[in-house]
Amino acid sequence: GAVVSQHPSRVICKSGTSVKIECRSLDFQATTMFWYRQFPKQSLMLMATSNEGSKATYEQGVEKDKFLINHASLTLSTLTVTSAHPEDSSFYICSAFRQGATNEKLFFGSGTQLSVL
Amino acid sequence: KNQVEQSPQSLIILEGKNCTLQCNYTVSPFSNLRWYKQDTGRGPVSLTIMTFSENTKSNGRYTATLDADTKQSSLHITASQLSDSASYICVASPTGNQFYFGTGTSLTVIP
């Protein structure tokens, strides 16, 4: 079963509104979570790295005031797209890193398709 | 510069045939390499993970190889099925929680 749950899977919103996407690690504590953006037929583009209890580290070119990331607990990170515009329409994916000596894994959520009208 | 390059960019094969996808990386230091399968509109799903000391790892019809000396990896798919149509992503990782993604290979299996 899925070990990283991402919701919603699809959202349609009006331009100017804000949208929150949740990413939960279901059966492990994830000190680090990642948020990606993906355009059709293109690879994942890392947006930011989120560490529990601290500010997210954003990749160059990603507006931190536009894409708010909160990682308040070891099992939950949220991405809020503020004042969404049509150009923000994309597929957003999160991943959670489970660190361990013998079972180190990077798990992905199922993605959120955002459409801004 | 840490980079991961995959080839071919896209591939079309007949159902039942085998294929091999390539991944070259320049990540240093190098800790492990992962292969993921991503269906359209879904998140990537892990296929294999290999540390620098491993040469091969299998997961059903998927077999990954790793040559840490030449910094190359391959993913071999045996007896392809229609459901294998997806994007395959190679991810190289140095020590710690950093991950470098390849651009992916889009595989289409046709009947």
Side-chain angles (χ1 to χ4, degrees), chain A residues 31-32 34 36 38 41-44 46 49 51 91 93 95 97 99 104-111, chain B residues 9 31-32 34 36 38 41-46 49 87 89 91 93 96-99 101-104:
Chain A
T31 54
T32 304
F34 304 88
Y36 310 83
Q38 187 175 35
K41 299 187 184 300
Q42 293 189 22
S43 185
L44 298 168
L46 179 65
T49 301
N51 291 299
F91 191 59
I93 306 174
S95 69
F97 180 60
Q99 192 162 14
E104 185 178 283
K105 295 232 183 239
L106 181 67
F107 296 97
F108 287 85
S110 55
Chain B
Q9 185 175 9
S31 175
N32 56 65
R34 309 157 193 262
Y36 288 87
Q38 184 181 20
R42 304 299 299 273
V45 174
S46 179
I49 175 172
S87 180
I89 303 170
V91 182
S93 179
N97 56 3
Q98 287 181 297
F99 303 93
F101 288 76
T103 53

Side-chain angles (χ1 to χ4, degrees), chain B residues 52-104:
Chain B
F52 62 88
S53 61
E54 296 179 288
N55 299 121
T56 185
K57 183 160 285 187
S58 293
N59 178 1
R61 294 179 297 103
Y62 301 102
T63 299
T65 65
L66 174 65
D67 186 332
D69 292 330
T70 61
K71 298 188 177 183
Q72 295 179 327
S73 178
S74 66
L75 180 69
H76 186 73
I77 304 175
T78 304
S80 61
Q81 300 177 357
L82 298 179
S83 59
D84 292 332
S85 295
S87 180
Y88 291 83
I89 303 170
C90 173
V91 182
S93 179
T95 55
N97 56 3
Q98 287 181 297
F99 303 93
Y100 294 92
F101 288 76
T103 53

